[in-house]
Amino acid sequence: MSTWKDRLAWLRALPLPIPAEADMPSAVAEIEAASYFGGKPESVIFQKEASLGEAYEITKTASGYTIRGGETGLLYGVYALIFAMETHEPFPRGLHKPCYALRMLNCWDNMSGDIERGYAGRSLWFEGGRLSWEADRIRELGRMLGWAGINALCVNNVNVRGEAHRLIEEDLGELARLAEALRPFGVRLMASIDISQPMLHGIPTADPLDGRVIDWWRERAEAVYRAIPDLAGFVVKADSEHRPGPFTYGRTHAEGANMLARALKPFGGALVWRAFVYNCQQDWRDTATDRPKAAYETYAPLDGQFDDNVILQVKYGPFDFQVREPLSPTFYAMPRTQLALEVQLAQEYTGHQIDLYAMNPLWREIGRALPEGRVRHVAAVSNLGRDENYFGHPFAAANLFGFGKFAWDPETDPEDTLRRWARLTYRLPGPQEDALVRLLAGSRGVYEKYTAPLGLCWMVQPHVHYGPSPEGYEYDAWGTYHRADRYAVGIDRTAAGTGYTLQYPPEVRARYETLESCPDELKLFFHRLRYDYRMADGRTLIQRIYDDHFEGYEEVEDMAAALRGLDLPEPDRSVALERMDRQLRNAREWRDVVNTFFHRLSGAADEKGRKIYD
Amino acid sequence: MSTWKDRLAWLRALPLPIPAEADMPSAVAEIEAASYFGGKPESVIFQKEASLGEAYEITKTASGYTIRGGETGLLYGVYALIFAMETHEPFPRGLHKPCYALRMLNCWDNMSGDIERGYAGRSLWFEGGRLSWEADRIRELGRMLGWAGINALCVNNVNVRGEAHRLIEEDLGELARLAEALRPFGVRLMASIDISQPMLHGIPTADPLDGRVIDWWRERAEAVYRAIPDLAGFVVKADSEHRPGPFTYGRTHAEGANMLARALKPFGGALVWRAFVYNCQQDWRDTATDRPKAAYETYAPLDGQFDDNVILQVKYGPFDFQVREPLSPTFYAMPRTQLALEVQLAQEYTGHQIDLYAMNPLWREIGRALPEGRVRHVAAVSNLGRDENYFGHPFAAANLFGFGKFAWDPETDPEDTLRRWARLTYRLPGPQEDALVRLLAGSRGVYEKYTAPLGLCWMVQPHVHYGPSPEGYEYDAWGTYHRADRYAVGIDRTAAGTGYTLQYPPEVRARYETLESCPDELKLFFHRLRYDYRMADGRTLIQRIYDDHFEGYEEVEDMAAALRGLDLPEPDRSVALERMDRQLRNAREWRDVVNTFFHRLSGAADEKGRKIYD
């Protein structure tokens, strides 16, 4: 039986495995070129210029192509060239360099082998508390990441659990072998660390200003860089959701991060510090505390205090990867700090790689909202797993590929990216390719319609985060409330309410502050509205909710019909159709539960007389 | 440090361990008597009459006592005598025999060592997939069960998981040793079996009418009874919550149960068949299906078809151990079937052995509602675990003790039983003993006040079943809906509604059918009511809900004060106080969440102006 990887163009174009002696990207570049162009008239000349780094330039010569680039640039250049050939696009002229310096995948893989919020099987490199991987598959993975232009991989869960501290201690040798396997593809490893790790070694504190702690980390960093000289750095989640952190010792996050950054500095490593800090023991009765304000409140005052190799990683929205959130105000507030944008490929809140949810349209919005030049790095929570097709849903591969394209050039048209992925992967007849691209490009809007309305967020099944539960997080400790009653729904986050909007610069604030200027899709994020509130198009809020949910389900039916019309190869076709059946059930459940929930509260009838259950 | 067992009178009265050579209850009886009365002038004469079985009669003689009884009756007689001496009660005159023949503890212990719905630590006899127990502790447990008058122990979870099939196969020898350890205390083992077990042995079906299946079970029963000649029988949960069963093969539950019963019959074993069958894949949109109707619909038509050694075990209410349910109509419907009443000591829905919830008042109500003479057996889901005090909360021991007393005489006054337990256990000064008894006797009413109102059920946190979640099970597949909207709440289960009341005999039905005659505490079980419905006392429904929840919390505060006034020994005092703190937090959460939930829906203000959060 053919497998997904047999057919996926960006893996299939060249034979595997890459010889083991190809231990650097430029060597892989030559092998890839020889293999691809070997049977064709064109020849490829490589001009390595170390200073170009990841950048490349391709020029057409009389007999072929010249690729000029740095060590990794040559590899990216070859892939770009093959890419253009395979998709029959004009080859990419001019100097190409990535927009974002660090383009990282954050893998939430536990040493046990399971993956937090993983929807594509078990870990590709952990099992039973150890590193455990198939060499061929890791090379294939490296190549996939190289194709996508992703240059760093944080191997373990930011919630460092169980034996994961061993990664940079006893298991360092094995981790170095994993680094070696990925290095030829321009992928550098990172590791999530536990800030309390010195306490496992007889040091009675993890206070970042304690000399013993400082020494322990300095020595540990030395040992780690002896084993993995090109490690991209460490990732830390501290003082968040029950993780230990500097607050325990009355220190700031700048003090905590800088201590670790200084240990990495001599080796060129970065310290990535996640800004996902909020009170996860909130009382729902407390209406003064507003979770979206938390990251800004914690970090904005620290701007300028972080060392230059600290990267503060900020989730795109102020909540947590919800379907619709405004850009986090933290991005505007820290001009003197290195910032990374964090997105999530794993479809935690966006359909579990069962429902279709192509992310490039979302990222383009985010990219356009980001203040110019302020963010230099990007990270994505991985959607990879040990499933045969790596992603659970074969189309979820488009999100990994698309993330790489976004990280190189955020201005790329999302539909172009989806079309390129589709073409590389399936080579369908033109009208079918169009249909597939439409299906993907529209998938986020459809998902948004049938789930929580207009930026309300959090109406998901607790813990699982798949399927509707309108009050699932309503009385919980996570700061996730909509406070729907018989008259109205939503939290007033304007200056007159929780004051969240005050965290934005004036021009952004003005847009969200008034109901008239606030875009519809975020109205319930920023405002508390009566069900009879009239939207700009004249519909009441409650009617808009009903309409969206009826339409959303119908649009999934249209998607299912479109999918059935595609001549996809097996097993992709069967897998995609089976998952579409589940998406239909899920969308129906969302439609009916959300409509019934608001109908029970509001008592409002649907103007079009459609069925709302009692 | 003293431990709980050092101080618990019904374990402490006599030294442990009972010598291993005491392999039968009458031998234990003699040792207990010799030990207890050894230093005192009284002497005890035993007259064994096998035909008396578990019954006993004690008479006072010039120099002491004569106990006449069967093999186990002698043991129960000694314990009753010591009991009376210890509590300074008049010794029990006349012939005593238990009301219920089988008085079983259903342990939901998994072979892994965890306990489904266990709140007192890990299993006392399973760990890591094997039987694993401390001999001394099992003897102590046996003695505790003997004191309580419980005569059967089903060792493993009715949800037979993992390796549990090994219990009656490879691990039979070890199970026989456990039976041996408990036999001297009049406790016979039972085992939960998986009806599909023959399929692990190359038989391609578990059809109860298939000759190979019948043979397999007959041979298996022979082997089991060779190892454990006094096994009380097997327990089966079939066709329920994803368990396999006869429905798979188009057979009735009578056919399934009888096949197994016939395998046990030659050895005097009983086949206990749980009647907990309902559609756990219900669609919340479906208002015709009503889960409480399920057991009656499945079993009532089978009355008369079960063999005489089949015992149909029926939960007391038609749902699942909720705080307030009417008696299951199945008890009235099967005069030609051996029935067992099932209750739950494990506080799954009743406070997790954190909140106080003494059950004797509940059981007396149930006992009085049961049709006369129709139910001959009783089973209770165990609340035991490996915690030092066996129960998590030291007062939860009263439920095990009280269950035994109920099983011997359902008419015993609940307060008397609680007082006896309190006196045996703590020997507090009179006013303190009174306070403790009041605390326990009132605990169920208090718990009922601050949780789901008036028989509404199911407003708990899904899965966990501790803490409030008004809509946690509202859109789920378990058949657990209240359909609260802005006007009204509850399901109409009368003849005009789902017709559930039609399952009762006319005199019972009449009571529930009309709003006027339906007791307040069950009004929302049977009826759908508007929030402005006037109760008999003139209060509106919504006001009654608010009042109950405010009062419930205040009553927990009173309980906490009463508890602080008791001179309990340590560690009981600390454990009870710490758990009371958690009960206070829990009651406050319930009060506020339930009040807010209904306030948001109804918009009704509290007439007394107390704080209801928005």
Side-chain angles (χ1 to χ4, degrees), chain B residues 593-606:
Chain B
V593 169
V594 170
N595 282 345
T596 294
F597 175 75
F598 283 110
H599 181 256
R600 287 181 181 180
L601 277 166
S602 70
D606 173 43

Side-chain angles (χ1 to χ4, degrees), chain B residues 162-370:
Chain B
E163 302 299 282
H165 63 90
R166 285 204 320 238
L167 268 185
I168 58 162
E169 302 185 25
E170 297 94 301
D171 295 348
L172 191 51
E174 190 59 26
L175 189 65
R177 280 184 286 282
L178 183 63
E180 214 169 275
L182 292 169
R183 186 172 295 126
F185 303 97
V187 178
R188 298 162 72 190
L189 288 196
M190 304 191 80
S192 296
I193 59 153
D194 181 341
I195 200 163
S196 67
Q197 211 155 326
M199 300 177 73
L200 299 172
H201 298 275
I203 298 172
T205 176
D207 179 353
L209 301 195
D210 187 286
R212 294 163 295 182
V213 173
I214 294 168
D215 288 346
W216 190 90
W217 281 111
R218 202 175 47 222
E219 285 160 26
R220 191 44 26 207
E222 277 169 23
V224 170
Y225 276 88
R226 265 197 306 278
I228 310 173
D230 64 345
L231 188 87
F234 290 159
V235 177
V236 179
K237 175 175 178 179
D239 287 315
S240 172
E241 295 179 337
H242 317 294
R243 308 300 311 158
F247 289 164
T248 310
Y249 307 99
R251 310 303 181 188
T252 70
H253 277 202
E255 288 169 321
N258 291 344
M259 180 275 289
L260 292 162
R262 285 166 200 165
L264 301 174
K265 180 81 174 175
F267 313 103
L271 190 280
V272 173
W273 189 272
R274 286 180 91 233
F276 186 54
V277 171
Y278 66 99
N279 176 10
C280 68
Q281 292 291 304
Q282 189 176 333
D283 191 319
W284 61 270
R285 284 160 285 227
D286 164 15
T287 52
T289 305
D290 189 19
R291 170 167 163 185
K293 294 166 73 177
Y296 178 101
E297 286 173 347
T298 306
Y299 292 101
L302 299 179
D303 187 39
Q305 297 180 30
F306 289 102
D307 281 11
D308 63 2
N309 66 325
V310 172
I311 298 172
L312 191 68
Q313 181 170 310
V314 181
K315 294 192 182 188
Y316 69 84
F319 264 136
D320 184 18
F321 303 135
Q322 300 298 293
V323 176
R324 179 69 67 170
E325 300 184 47
L327 188 71
S328 170
T330 307
F331 289 112
Y332 303 97
M334 305 190 70
R336 292 174 295 162
T337 306
Q338 285 217 63
L339 296 176
L341 168 71
E342 180 173 337
V343 300
Q344 189 183 41
L345 309 185
Q347 291 177 229
E348 175 177 358
Y349 295 99
T350 53
H352 283 205
Q353 289 144 242
I354 299 163
D355 298 23
L356 286 176
Y357 189 94
M359 299 178 179
N360 278 75
L362 164 66
W363 297 329
R364 172 131 91 174
E365 285 171 17
I366 294 169
R368 291 187 162 176
L370 281 175

Side-chain angles (χ1 to χ4, degrees), chain B residues 11 17 19 79 84 127 185 192 275 326 329 331 356 367 376 391 418 488 499 512 522 532 566-567 600:
Chain B
L11 296 178
Y79 284 150
E127 192 55 68
F185 303 97
S192 296
F331 289 112
L356 286 176
R376 293 184 45 216
F391 299 98
L418 292 168
Y512 295 138
L522 282 168
D532 56 7
L566 302 181
D567 295 318
R600 287 181 181 180

Side-chain angles (χ1 to χ4, degrees), chain A residues 285 486 589 592 600-601, chain B residues 285 474 486 589 592 601:
Chain A
R285 284 160 286 228
R486 70 204 314 258
E589 199 65 15
D592 289 340
R600 287 181 180 181
L601 278 165
Chain B
R285 284 160 285 227
E474 185 58 16
R486 72 204 313 258
E589 200 64 16
D592 290 341
L601 277 166

Side-chain angles (χ1 to χ4, degrees), chain A residues 16-277:
Chain A
L16 271 173
I18 305 292
E21 57 269 29
D23 60 351
M24 291 297 284
S26 59
V28 175
E30 292 189 24
I31 294 165
E32 297 276 27
S35 172
Y36 188 80
F37 292 100
K40 304 183 186 180
E42 298 91 341
S43 71
V44 179
I45 297 163
F46 288 94
Q47 292 181 352
K48 182 150 108 180
E49 291 180 32
S51 66
L52 283 175
E54 293 182 319
Y56 64 86
E57 182 168 18
I58 310 175
T59 44
K60 212 164 177 10
T61 63
S63 61
Y65 305 96
T66 299
I67 303 179
R68 197 167 68 87
E71 176 63 44
T72 315
L74 294 179
L75 180 69
Y76 290 140
V78 163
Y79 284 150
L81 183 56
I82 296 175
F83 193 111
M85 311 284 283
E86 288 287 306
T87 55
H88 310 287
E89 293 178 5
F91 79 87
R93 292 174 204 284
L95 184 71
H96 289 262
K97 56 182 183 182
C99 171
Y100 293 104
L102 187 70
R103 303 177 301 282
M104 193 231 294
L105 271 196
N106 240 177
C107 299
W108 289 358
D109 295 33
N110 297 318
M111 297 278 281
S112 63
D114 56 19
I115 302 178
E116 183 169 330
R117 310 302 175 187
Y119 310 106
R122 296 182 66 74
S123 172
L124 283 157
W125 46 80
F126 293 133
E127 193 55 68
R130 323 284 319 178
L131 279 154
S132 168
W133 38 281
E134 296 165 48
D136 280 1
R137 196 143 195 207
I138 292 298
R139 304 282 276 193
E140 187 177 86
L141 171 71
R143 198 185 198 191
M144 181 157 62
L145 299 178
W147 263 107
I150 291 165
N151 68 358
L153 183 81
C154 182
V155 293
N156 61 317
N157 194 348
V158 291
N159 293 313
V160 182
R161 291 209 177 90
E163 303 297 284
H165 63 89
R166 284 205 321 240
L167 268 185
I168 58 163
E169 301 186 27
E170 297 94 301
D171 296 347
L172 191 50
E174 189 60 24
L175 189 65
R177 279 184 286 282
L178 183 64
E180 214 169 273
L182 292 169
R183 186 173 294 125
F185 303 97
V187 178
R188 298 163 72 192
L189 288 196
M190 305 192 79
S192 296
I193 58 153
D194 180 342
I195 200 163
S196 66
Q197 210 155 326
M199 298 177 73
L200 298 172
H201 298 273
I203 297 172
T205 176
D207 179 353
L209 301 194
D210 187 285
R212 296 163 295 183
V213 173
I214 295 167
D215 288 347
W216 191 88
W217 282 111
R218 201 174 50 223
E219 286 160 24
R220 190 44 27 203
E222 277 170 24
V224 169
Y225 276 87
R226 265 196 306 279
I228 311 173
D230 64 346
L231 188 88
F234 290 158
V235 177
V236 179
K237 175 175 180 179
D239 288 315
S240 171
E241 297 179 335
H242 317 295
R243 307 300 311 158
F247 288 164
T248 309
Y249 307 100
R251 310 302 182 190
T252 70
H253 277 201
E255 288 168 322
N258 291 344
M259 180 276 288
L260 291 163
R262 284 164 202 166
L264 301 173
K265 180 81 174 174
F267 314 102
L271 190 280
V272 173
W273 189 273
R274 287 181 91 231
F276 185 54
V277 171

Side-chain angles (χ1 to χ4, degrees), chain A residues 283-287 461-464 468-472 474-476 481-487 588-589 591-593 596-604 613-614, chain B residues 283-287 461-464 468-472 474-476 481-487 588-589 591-593 596-604 613-614:
Chain A
D283 191 320
W284 61 271
R285 284 160 286 228
D286 164 15
T287 52
Q461 287 283 347
H463 316 301
V464 177
S469 180
E471 302 232 308
E474 185 59 15
Y475 297 100
D476 226 320
Y481 318 117
H482 54 63
R483 304 191 191 279
D485 67 18
R486 70 204 314 258
Y487 307 113
R588 177 169 174 262
E589 199 65 15
R591 177 196 70 186
D592 289 340
V593 169
T596 293
F597 175 76
F598 283 111
H599 180 257
R600 287 181 180 181
L601 278 165
S602 70
Y613 294 86
D614 287 331
Chain B
D283 191 319
W284 61 270
R285 284 160 285 227
D286 164 15
T287 52
Q461 287 283 346
H463 317 300
V464 177
S469 181
E471 303 233 307
E474 185 58 16
Y475 298 100
D476 226 319
Y481 319 115
H482 54 62
R483 305 191 190 279
D485 67 18
R486 72 204 313 258
Y487 307 113
R588 177 170 175 262
E589 200 64 16
R591 177 195 71 187
D592 290 341
V593 169
T596 294
F597 175 75
F598 283 110
H599 181 256
R600 287 181 181 180
L601 277 166
S602 70
Y613 295 85
D614 287 330

Side-chain angles (χ1 to χ4, degrees), chain A residues 319-439:
Chain A
F319 264 137
D320 183 18
F321 303 134
Q322 299 300 292
V323 176
R324 179 69 68 169
E325 300 184 47
L327 189 71
S328 170
T330 307
F331 289 111
Y332 303 97
M334 304 190 70
R336 292 174 295 163
T337 305
Q338 285 217 63
L339 295 176
L341 168 71
E342 180 174 337
V343 298
Q344 189 182 41
L345 310 185
Q347 290 176 229
E348 176 177 358
Y349 296 100
T350 53
H352 282 204
Q353 288 144 242
I354 299 165
D355 297 23
L356 286 176
Y357 189 96
M359 298 178 178
N360 277 73
L362 164 67
W363 297 330
R364 172 127 93 174
E365 284 171 18
I366 294 169
R368 290 188 162 175
L370 281 174
E372 181 94 24
R374 200 68 69 75
V375 178
R376 293 184 44 217
H377 310 282
V378 65
V381 181
S382 162
N383 60 351
L384 291 163
R386 200 175 280 219
D387 275 4
E388 181 61 35
N389 70 15
Y390 286 99
F391 299 99
H393 198 305
F395 298 174
N399 285 330
L400 183 81
F401 175 84
F403 170 67
K405 295 300 132 203
F406 168 78
W408 274 70
D409 179 6
E411 272 302 307
T412 310
D413 182 274
E415 285 205 19
D416 278 1
T417 300
L418 292 169
R419 182 174 301 278
R420 284 164 147 183
W421 174 81
R423 183 167 296 177
L424 273 166
T425 305
Y426 293 122
R427 295 158 196 273
L428 296 166
Q432 289 195 30
E433 185 176 284
D434 291 346
L436 175 56
V437 171
R438 274 199 307 275
L439 186 66

